[in-house]
Amino acid sequence: MMKTALITGANKGIGLATAQQLLDAGYFVYIGSRDIAKGEEAVAMLGHANTAVVQLDVTDTHSILAARELIGRSTTQLDVLINNAGISGGFPQAPATVPVQMIRDVFETNFFGVIQVTQAFMDLLQKSPQPRIVNVTSGLASLTLHSDPSWVYYSFKGAAYGPSKTALNAYTLSLAYELRETNFKVNAVDPGYTATDFNHHSGPGTVENAAALLVRFATLGADGPTGKYFSNDRNGETSPW
């Protein structure tokens, strides 16, 4: 039986590159896209029969449930969920003056959106013999590194984006613990500072390299780690929380 994967925010950038690599690995990939037209363009760009676009806005409960119903009609199980959709909220995000609504908006996508999608698809994931959840996080989520003046990104502080990913890491850790006696592998993975639309293509990393790290944890074997935080900025090894 062909394995299946759902990637949120997969119509461009790291999500699209991850879809390509999972297709190459023999998976059927659902391209989650807030804008259905952009998702269809991504599917056309991939040019592969084993892919389909799913309208999915992680901040919209109705959209999430509709996506779950659609995917549930075409497959009996979901093997991989990659929670990739995310927003920065824009910078600067000075803690003393940042609009609280910006923080709420960023958390709605980067934190609450992940939880809603994960819970909606949990039943399909539970039917997989080796379910994998990859929560795409950031190096800016690490409180340990943010406390180290020698860290290269020490000055990149903000009240919305980084904290939303710190919260996501905490959720990842808790979910992995809850599922520890099952075949689930749940990890937080930081693709590193990658050149995408997200950062106006200012990052030094490539989407192909970023995607390779996500795919590595999406395809873990039975002896793979769970409840960990990995980063491309640390050569794909564990990052301090």
Side-chain angles (χ1 to χ4, degrees), residues 15-94:
L16 183 60
T18 302
Q20 180 64 71
Q21 292 184 24
L22 283 174
L23 286 168
D24 292 343
Y27 283 70
F28 187 100
V29 180
Y30 294 97
I31 304 294
S33 178
R34 184 172 56 183
D35 185 317
I36 191 69
K38 291 180 179 178
E40 290 170 346
E41 290 175 5
V43 168
M45 189 182 307
L46 290 167
H48 202 293
N50 295 328
T51 187
V53 63
V54 179
Q55 195 283 325
L56 180 53
D57 180 344
V58 304
T59 68
D60 184 337
T61 301
H62 295 296
S63 172
I64 295 169
L65 295 178
R68 162 62 186 83
E69 182 179 354
L70 180 65
I71 291 176
R73 288 201 299 264
S74 59
T75 185
T76 57
Q77 67 185 50
L78 186 66
D79 299 284
V80 173
L81 171 61
I82 300 180
N83 287 304
N84 171 69
I87 62 172
S88 72
F91 294 96
Q93 299 174 357

Side-chain angles (χ1 to χ4, degrees), residues 3-4 11 21 39 43 69-71 76 81 90 100 112 117 122 135 138 149 155 203 205 221 226 238:
K3 289 189 174 183
T4 59
N11 58 284
Q21 292 184 24
V43 168
E69 182 179 354
L70 180 65
I71 291 176
T76 57
L81 171 61
V100 173
F112 294 112
V117 171
M122 184 57 65
N135 290 332
S138 167
S155 64
T226 190
T238 56

Side-chain angles (χ1 to χ4, degrees), residues 129 133 182:
I133 299 175
T182 72

Side-chain angles (χ1 to χ4, degrees), residues 49-195:
N50 295 328
T51 187
V53 63
V54 179
Q55 195 283 325
L56 180 53
D57 180 344
V58 304
T59 68
D60 184 337
T61 301
H62 295 296
S63 172
I64 295 169
L65 295 178
R68 162 62 186 83
E69 182 179 354
L70 180 65
I71 291 176
R73 288 201 299 264
S74 59
T75 185
T76 57
Q77 67 185 50
L78 186 66
D79 299 284
V80 173
L81 171 61
I82 300 180
N83 287 304
N84 171 69
I87 62 172
S88 72
F91 294 96
Q93 299 174 357
T97 58
V98 63
V100 173
Q101 190 58 51
M102 175 198 281
I103 300 176
R104 293 185 192 279
D105 290 343
V106 172
F107 267 74
E108 196 64 46
T109 296
N110 297 358
F111 181 61
F112 294 112
V114 170
I115 296 172
Q116 286 196 98
V117 171
T118 300
Q119 291 183 348
F121 284 90
M122 184 57 65
D123 63 328
L124 286 181
L125 287 162
Q126 289 171 329
K127 293 175 183 177
S128 169
Q130 291 189 319
R132 304 290 179 255
I133 299 175
V134 176
N135 290 332
V136 180
T137 185
S138 167
L140 297 177
S142 173
L143 299 180
T144 300
L145 293 178
H146 269 303
S147 302
D148 180 2
S150 68
W151 184 42
V152 64
Y153 301 121
Y154 179 72
S155 64
F156 288 77
K157 301 279 195 292
Y161 179 71
S164 74
K165 294 297 189 177
T166 304
L168 176 61
N169 281 4
Y171 174 72
T172 303
L173 192 61
S174 295
L175 181 63
Y177 180 79
E178 179 185 358
L179 299 171
R180 68 193 182 282
E181 301 298 334
T182 72
N183 290 330
F184 273 83
K185 303 294 181 185
V186 184
N187 291 290
V189 182
D190 164 32
Y193 192 11
T194 306

